[in-house]
Amino acid sequence: MKLTIGNFYVKDIVFGDELSYKDGVLTINKEEALAFVKEDERITEADLYIAKPGDKIRLCPVKEAIEPRVRPDGKGIFPGYTTDLRQAGEGTVHALKNTSVLVVGRHWGGFQDGLIDMSGPGQKLTYFGGLQNIVLVADTNEEFERYEQQKMNDALRRAGHKLAEYFAACVKDLQPEEEEVYELGSIRNRGEEVEKLPSVVYVMQPQSQMEAMGYNDLLYGWDLNHFLPTLMHPNEIFDGCIVSGSFMPCSSKWSTYDFQNTPNIKALYREHGKTINFLGIIMSNLNVALLQKERASQFVANLAVQVGADAAVVAEEGYGNPDADFIGTIVALEDAGVKVIGVTNESVGRDGAGQPFVALDEKCDAIVSCGNVGELIELPPMETVLGELEALGRDGNSGGWDYDEKLGPSVREDGSIIMENNGLFCSDQVVGWSTKQMMDY
């Protein structure tokens, strides 16, 4: 399977008369783009903004991030979701790099939504603070969700996914500035030099804990709550087969942008044929009931053994209850003779003294930490807020609060905030973006 990603590097974004891309400048006709968004009758109000690195802009509540992409062959970029089902992972995709479409709630947030700063000390805390962002700020008629802590955000998220393809259409017929080629053939018959290297699989555990449909990550449009672990080609992940859901405290989330660009997969690709034999992806899920967790772990281990894996990298989207899936899968793999490195964040409380996972096992002796979800963060006021900052404390955001006896409100009268890392948009970056480091004191 061979996938070519043709890259166009966005240096600036401006509003203008027509949608176009030239010399690194993406021009957007704002009125036409908003008319496209409002074709969905659920969208009651919408506006578009541009947020660049260094702008004194705070975004909250952020719900989704997507890289703008288009396929020159006319096939949709999210098969089974925004377009007809097709096999992902083959052919050519054109991508607008250094930019994302961010979806922000105009009024209402929830515990799965997050915050992004484009400047100041908070800019470096999320990957998206360093991108040229097209920001959709919108509201919907989904009244039943407005005062619920947990929201599907379906209309808003779909609007973002469709906009990402809409904006990228301007480079559909252009010659890319650079091409990335990802090709990985059959697991068998790779040649003696490759097959003598340690064989490695990447185990992904996207969020799928909600038994009610509409909240979980989707694979080819299929809710991952109804899923059993499956062997997949890494190119499928790059090519839009999976989209982010609307569940999980926000620092732990994997946005659709993260799936489209998963650095951990790219790193395994780079080492293929050099230091490892990269076998592919075991796509798993995260469950609620213990029996479901044990079943998934067993499937993962069986698949790894059948494809001849010597080692695995296991990454989970989330913490708390999902830790049982994460730890259980590592133990099952180790019991099957597969050596494992785990990648996740941890929840050790505001003082850093708590137990990092809800489940532990002595066989889990190689885990990469991507940060503490409970770490307290203070940020100064920002000149402009896109969205509604009050949502951080008012609507059950996992990192904010209405009032704390010791710390007061999360959102202060002067616009400064105190919050837990939990509420920063996709900040822990278990997929491989993380710029954090461990320090010994």
Side-chain angles (χ1 to χ4, degrees):
M1 189 176 284
K2 180 179 178 180
L3 178 69
T4 301
I5 302 178
N7 295 326
F8 299 81
Y9 289 91
V10 177
K11 300 175 183 176
D12 197 10
I13 306 173
V14 297
F15 290 127
D17 294 333
E18 62 179 4
L19 177 64
S20 65
Y21 177 84
K22 185 177 181 181
D23 298 329
V25 179
L26 176 64
T27 302
I28 295 170
N29 184 306
K30 183 176 181 179
E31 290 71 25
E32 289 181 359
L34 287 173
F36 175 76
V37 168
K38 292 178 180 178
E39 288 177 5
D40 186 337
E41 295 180 353
R42 295 176 297 172
I43 305 292
T44 56
E45 58 176 295
D47 207 347
L48 283 176
Y49 301 87
I50 297 168
K52 306 174 185 179
D55 288 349
K56 296 179 180 180
I57 293 175
R58 175 165 292 154
L59 302 96
C60 179
V62 184
K63 301 175 180 294
E64 173 65 303
I66 314 100
E67 182 170 78
R69 291 186 173 188
V70 67
R71 288 183 63 100
D73 61 10
K75 297 177 180 179
I77 61 171
F78 298 115
Y81 176 59
T82 58
T83 188
D84 292 339
L85 186 65
R86 64 166 173 84
Q87 175 64 58
E90 297 179 306
T92 299
V93 179
H94 285 180
L96 293 174
K97 308 303 289 186
N98 299 333
T99 186
S100 77
V101 174
L102 296 177
V103 181
V104 178
R106 175 63 186 87
H107 299 293
W108 310 103
F111 106 119
Q112 72 289 321
D113 298 332
L115 180 145
I116 296 172
D117 274 0
M118 297 306 300
S119 63
Q123 181 188 9
K124 64 181 181 180
L125 300 179
T126 74
Y127 182 79
F128 301 94
L131 297 181
Q132 305 270 344
N133 297 301
I134 310 157
V135 185
L136 171 66
V137 181
D139 196 13
T140 77
N141 64 4
E142 296 163 312
E143 293 288 341
F144 73 98
E145 285 194 320
R146 287 194 170 187
Y147 304 104
E148 294 295 324
Q149 184 182 29
Q150 183 63 51
K151 298 171 174 62
M152 293 182 189
N153 290 322
D154 182 70
L156 296 179
R157 289 189 292 119
R158 283 182 184 269
H161 293 119
K162 291 178 180 179
L163 268 181
E165 187 166 12
Y166 174 89
F167 291 136
C170 63
V171 298
K172 180 179 179 181
D173 300 319
L174 301 184
Q175 181 64 35
E177 298 159 22
E178 178 190 65
E179 289 186 344
E180 301 173 42
V181 178
Y182 297 97
E183 187 171 12
L184 199 63
S186 169
I187 290 173
R188 299 182 60 209
N189 303 321
R190 291 186 169 179
E192 182 179 351
E193 290 302 310
V194 174
E195 291 181 354
K196 72 181 182 181
L197 297 171
S199 296
V200 180
V201 292
Y202 184 48
V203 180
M204 300 184 75
Q205 295 180 310
Q207 189 50 238
S208 54
Q209 287 186 285
M210 291 291 280
E211 294 181 351
M213 299 297 95
Y215 299 93
N216 298 312
D217 294 353
L218 300 177
L219 187 72
Y220 287 104
W222 184 257
D223 193 296
L224 279 165
N225 185 262
H226 294 168
F227 186 75
L228 284 173
T230 299
L231 185 67
M232 297 185 65
H233 197 287
N235 290 5
E236 295 179 82
I237 317 304
F238 290 153
D239 193 23
C241 78
I242 187 166
V243 298
S244 177
S246 188
F247 181 75
M248 184 43 52
C250 203
S251 72
S252 304
K253 280 180 66 173
W254 298 345
S255 70
T256 298
Y257 187 103
D258 294 324
F259 285 117
Q260 292 171 302
N261 293 281
T262 309
N264 288 341
I265 298 178
K266 291 185 178 183
L268 291 166
Y269 247 121
R270 286 194 298 270
E271 293 304 310
H272 177 64
K274 300 176 182 176
T275 61
I276 64 170
N277 177 13
F278 181 28
L279 299 177
I281 308 294
I282 297 178
M283 184 64 69
S284 187
N285 59 355
L286 296 166
N287 306 281
V288 176
L290 181 59
L291 182 61
Q292 295 170 348
K293 296 175 185 292
E294 291 175 345
R295 183 187 297 115
S297 297
Q298 177 181 311
F299 266 74
V300 170
N302 286 342
L303 282 169
V305 169
Q306 289 183 50
V307 298
D310 300 307
V313 178
V314 179
E316 69 166 329
E317 181 186 7
Y319 68 95
N321 188 292
D323 291 343
D325 304 73
F326 177 67
I327 298 298
T329 297
I330 293 175
V331 170
L333 285 164
E334 290 279 352
D335 285 345
V338 180
K339 296 299 182 181
V340 181
I341 293 176
V343 186
T344 185
N345 55 15
E346 54 187 305
S347 179
V348 291
R350 294 176 180 176
D351 61 359
Q355 178 175 305
F357 307 116
V358 300
L360 291 169
D361 192 284
E362 62 183 8
K363 295 173 184 175
C364 304
D365 57 2
I367 295 179
V368 177
S369 172
C370 297
N372 172 24
V373 299
E375 182 178 349
L376 283 174
I377 294 168
E378 291 193 61
L379 298 173
M382 196 65 67
E383 284 185 7
T384 301
V385 174
L386 298 183
E388 193 167 64
L389 186 57
E390 289 74 17
L392 176 66
R394 182 193 65 203
D395 297 338
N397 179 289
S398 53
W401 54 85
D402 189 42
Y403 187 78
D404 182 279
E405 290 184 0
K406 294 183 179 180
L407 302 173
S410 189
V411 180
R412 298 162 175 155
E413 290 186 3
D414 66 353
S416 64
I417 57 176
I418 183 169
M419 63 185 295
E420 292 181 356
N421 173 52
N422 246 327
L424 287 168
F425 184 73
C426 300
S427 64
D428 293 333
Q429 296 296 357
V430 172
V431 294
W433 300 109
S434 182
T435 57
K436 299 175 183 176
Q437 62 181 356
M438 298 294 291
M439 301 288 290
D440 289 330
Y441 292 96

